[in-house]
Amino acid sequence: MDFNDKQTQTCSVCGGDSQGQGQGERRSHHDDKTIKELVTRMNRIEGQIRGIKGMIERQVYCDDILNQISSAQSALDGASRLLLERHMKSCVKERLQGNDDQVVDEVLKTIFRMMR
């Protein structure tokens, strides 16, 4: 390979290359249990959001609505933590084993965004 040739390593699990590009798009590779757990959480959160919207329409007391919003935010945070954990144990681990150190910057950026 010539010095100027661009070499990329493709993740054998998710199909992404070292520049963060997949074959068309990057995809997760979580097991069915993880996907089911995340979908269940999202369905529950979706129901909470619809409930909050209904509370607003019914002009429920503001403090009660704010408590429900806080609960929905906590549920989203929990889903984010679960997904981050599974991402670190699969995609990130695989890319690091493939000597793709760029994944560290990608994960740090994501974590910093989550901390805002």
Side-chain angles (χ1 to χ4, degrees), residues 89-106:
K89 291 180 176 179
S90 56
C91 304
V92 173
K93 181 179 177 182
E94 176 84 14
R95 287 176 62 184
L96 286 172
Q97 289 172 343
N99 295 319
D100 179 5
D101 293 335
Q102 277 186 316
V103 71
V104 174
D105 292 332
E106 175 186 293

Side-chain angles (χ1 to χ4, degrees), residues 11-95:
C11 173
S12 63
V13 180
C14 67
D17 67 28
S18 61
Q19 274 66 49
Q21 303 299 314
Q23 299 164 351
E25 66 180 53
R26 297 189 301 174
R27 298 180 55 100
S28 70
H29 55 274
H30 300 294
D31 59 24
D32 290 341
K33 180 182 175 191
T34 299
I35 291 170
K36 183 177 180 183
E37 185 175 353
L38 287 166
V39 168
T40 299
R41 285 177 183 233
M42 290 298 113
N43 287 339
R44 191 176 309 123
I45 293 165
E46 184 179 18
Q48 284 180 293
I49 300 302
R50 280 194 308 270
I52 293 167
K53 180 181 174 194
M55 291 173 76
I56 293 168
E57 291 170 343
R58 292 188 316 274
Q59 298 179 351
V60 171
Y61 187 62
C62 298
D63 191 56
D64 295 335
I65 296 171
L66 290 167
N67 286 328
Q68 288 302 312
I69 290 172
S70 178
S71 176
Q73 286 173 330
S74 292
L76 279 171
D77 289 343
S80 293
R81 284 189 301 270
L82 173 65
L83 189 55
L84 178 62
E85 176 187 351
R86 303 291 165 83
H87 179 57
M88 295 290 293
K89 291 180 176 179
S90 56
C91 304
V92 173
K93 181 179 177 182
E94 176 84 14
R95 287 176 62 184

